[in-house]
Amino acid sequence: MGRWHVYYEDWQMECCGTPFSVGDEVSWPLLLRDADDVLAGDWGHELSGIVGTVEAVRDEYGGVVRTLRTGPPGALGLTAALNADAVDESGPEPAEPIRRVGLLTVERHGGEWPETTGRVRAIHLVHQEYAVLEPGSLTREPVPGSRSLEAVTSCPKWFGEGRSGVLVELDVLGAAPPELRDRS
């Protein structure tokens, strides 16, 4: 069994999610994202290193999504979709397992692929400060270094100002994460 950090963004929960509590079993479609692209980066301790095989999965729209699976097909383990540039799109899937590092996020939009099932061991509300890009603009972006976590026992359905989602510690059978010695 492995424990993984999964970020569940507020808008994903508010749109299509079902609230959950510590101890619940959940099944989510996961995406391995570049951590620098999520809330101004700085996710060092929450990064996941996944070693597994790449599989091409047809999504609901007839497209192909490449996933990284920690165990053999049909076995328990962790499955996460990869960003388009994570593997060579022009060739076949690599025959040997590959290693990718990033931030696991719940992704309920943009395609369907196998879900990962696990047990929720901890939930932290993610508080994030935002700054206006230009005076008079309605566009705001996350302020680097201003994120904080608040331990809670249940995930809310609605988040409100200053809360950007939850960081979940998820136990997944058959999916022990490798050591992350270098976090690059």
Side-chain angles (χ1 to χ4, degrees), residues 33-43 47 103:
R33 293 180 57 187
D34 181 338
D36 290 339
D37 294 341
V38 183
L39 296 180
D42 195 27
W43 289 96
L47 292 180
L103 181 64

Side-chain angles (χ1 to χ4, degrees), residues 77-98:
L78 184 127
T79 299
L82 297 170
N83 285 325
D85 60 350
V87 293
D88 181 4
E89 295 279 334
S90 63
E93 282 72 32
E96 298 296 318
I98 65 170

Side-chain angles (χ1 to χ4, degrees), residues 130-158:
Y130 290 83
V132 174
L133 286 177
E134 297 177 19
S137 171
L138 297 177
T139 305
R140 302 177 320 149
E141 68 178 26
V143 175
S146 67
R147 183 173 44 252
S148 64
L149 303 175
E150 173 191 351
V152 295
T153 57
S154 294
C155 175
K157 176 68 175 172
W158 307 103

Side-chain angles (χ1 to χ4, degrees), residues 29-79:
L30 300 178
L31 175 65
L32 186 65
R33 293 180 57 187
D34 181 338
D36 290 339
D37 294 341
V38 183
L39 296 180
D42 195 27
W43 289 96
H45 297 291
E46 293 82 16
L47 292 180
S48 294
I50 302 175
V51 176
T53 55
V54 177
E55 298 175 356
V57 176
R58 287 223 172 268
D59 69 14
E60 64 186 89
Y61 307 108
V64 174
V65 175
R66 285 187 159 59
T67 61
L68 191 57
R69 180 185 299 275
T70 60
L76 294 173
L78 184 127
T79 299

Side-chain angles (χ1 to χ4, degrees), residues 144-183:
S146 67
R147 183 173 44 252
S148 64
L149 303 175
E150 173 191 351
V152 295
T153 57
S154 294
C155 175
K157 176 68 175 172
W158 307 103
F159 287 83
E161 186 71 26
R163 296 177 177 176
S164 63
V166 290
L167 184 66
V168 178
E169 291 180 32
L170 188 67
D171 282 346
V172 178
L173 286 174
E179 276 298 312
L180 287 180
R181 288 187 180 80
D182 76 319
R183 298 200 179 256

Side-chain angles (χ1 to χ4, degrees), residues 8 15 23-24 34 63 73 80 92 103 124-125 127 129:
Y8 204 136
C15 171
D24 287 353
D34 181 338
L103 181 64
H124 292 88
L125 272 175
H127 297 272
E129 290 181 33

